[in-house]
Amino acid sequence: MARAMTELRLFNSLTRQLETFQPVHPGEARVYTCGPTVYNYPHIGNMRAYVFADVLGRTLCFKGYRLTHVINITDVGHLTDDADAGEDKMEKMAAEKAQSIWDIARHYTEAYWADIKALNIRQPAQWTIATDYIDQMIQFASDIADKHCYELASGLYFDVSTVADYGRLARAVTDDGEGRIDEVAGKRNAADFAIWRKTPPGETRQMEWDSPWGRGAPGWHLECSVMSGAVLGFPFDIHTGGIDHREIHHPNEIAQNQAHCCTNGLDVAANSGANIWMHNNFLVERSGKMSKSSGEFLRLQLLIDKGYHPLAYRMLCLQAHYRSELEFSWEGLGAALTRLKRLVMAVTNLRAQADPAKTPGPRFADHLKRFDAAVADDLNTAVALTVLEEVATTKKVDAGEKLAAIVTMDAVLGLGLLHLDRAELRVRPKAVEMTEEHIAAAIALRKELRSQQNYAALDRNRDELAAKGVEVMDGDPLGWDWKLGE
Ligand code: AMP
Ligand code: ZN
């Protein structure tokens, strides 16, 4: 049962309003998140979408719901353009790298999973892989083909005029929906989209399957409709994705779901597939490094190589509301890291004094109430974080109780404060050559020189270290001994 605290309110993109969460199945929450297309490494903007979905899942658990979360892996069907123009992203990358698509998919899926782990994003109940669901996709398409689709030389197309209110999620004008400049000859409506793409005569694709509409591959939108419905059942509670999906991908999923649910006699409430559609806003970066086509693009590994702990990026995400645009900068990341360090320092000190109590105790009831109110207010993590910091800095309270309150809150924010070691948070770029042992020896020497009050030698030692890229931090309020310079 949901906890008797503030009721959970979430912003539903369908109605553009905050709505009280009412689960389809009492006590349960079923969530589907559009996953990555595994043709390249995810950039940190992509990862914002999964940090958001993770905070949503953790909040649902905090509120007492049994969570079933599904994230898909798109290993076929996503074109270089969200409309029907362009090539299959997977086929294109495989051709460029002269590798098998299956190898490419495996490599980038593993890279994505490594980022998921590094960001403390919890494993969903199920990862659905698109190519494992081809039979169900063909079945789904067959079910709706007669009433809602038509065939052209290039594939089976969905006729958006056959469902009520197409595009209400995007608030787009149906006739010339954005992003559909490249017309496919013969389409009845500009917004119609392929749900099955036939392999052009004379060509072979690495990934293709037989279907009633010829050999080919499923459309990207079909994949998500099928996988979400197959695992969670229509209607399920919440469907998430980045805000770009609000324009084409999700309206098309909804149209298919409407068609499928009507065909199967479900009522209107079930038609959209999910009751609530939620979208995170974008992480933006001015110089264009977010683009996967630019040389040094912003992957999580780049942050790590420059010496930033990946959870500093999670902190950066948590500081903003998921529906606000978030601008990335190295200074901002540095500030988020410092904030994380302060919390880790506080928790490390508490742990030295006590184990977490079993429950937070009455001293923190008010803090927990405010924390709960913040996350229940459409996942206001920015406010929730400040409440957590208030707990961490409260004086003269039992360390165990304080730790317990922090643990309860961190279960929602997912920073993993109890498991982080302060030494791991040092900025230590890969490019700097001095080893940890050398630095430790130099720092030990500094301590000795200080005890001898040999300030001239201390200054010399500082300069020597600086020349090697190590900045000593005497008197740092966080108790850090050193960091590596740029
Ligand atoms: P893709 O692999 O392109 O399908 O994208 C994976 C997820 O990242 C989707 O939910 C996108 O909507 C989301 N996304 C893409 N770019 C950004 C960005 N700059 N900031 C936040 N989310 C993004
Ligand atoms: Zn999707």
Side-chain angles (χ1 to χ4, degrees), residues 164-181:
D165 216 6
Y166 171 79
R168 73 199 144 110
L169 177 66
R171 308 271 155 110
V173 184
T174 313
D175 276 353
D176 49 23
E178 285 169 63
R180 296 186 177 83
I181 309 116

Side-chain angles (χ1 to χ4, degrees), residues 35-37 43 45-46 48-50 78 241-242 244-245 280-283:
T37 304
H43 57 54
N46 298 133
R48 185 183 188 199
Y50 308 108
H78 192 174
D244 52 331
H245 289 349
N280 64 278
N281 211 322
F282 265 30
L283 180 82

Side-chain angles (χ1 to χ4, degrees), residues 338-372:
T338 302
R339 200 169 175 193
L340 180 61
K341 278 179 181 175
R342 285 187 200 284
L343 278 171
V344 169
M345 286 288 285
V347 170
T348 309
N349 292 339
L350 288 170
R351 280 170 65 199
Q353 297 165 42
D355 287 330
K358 290 219 163 52
T359 50
R363 177 68 181 76
F364 292 107
D366 176 60
H367 288 89
L368 278 166
K369 211 167 133 198
R370 283 190 288 130
F371 180 89
D372 173 61

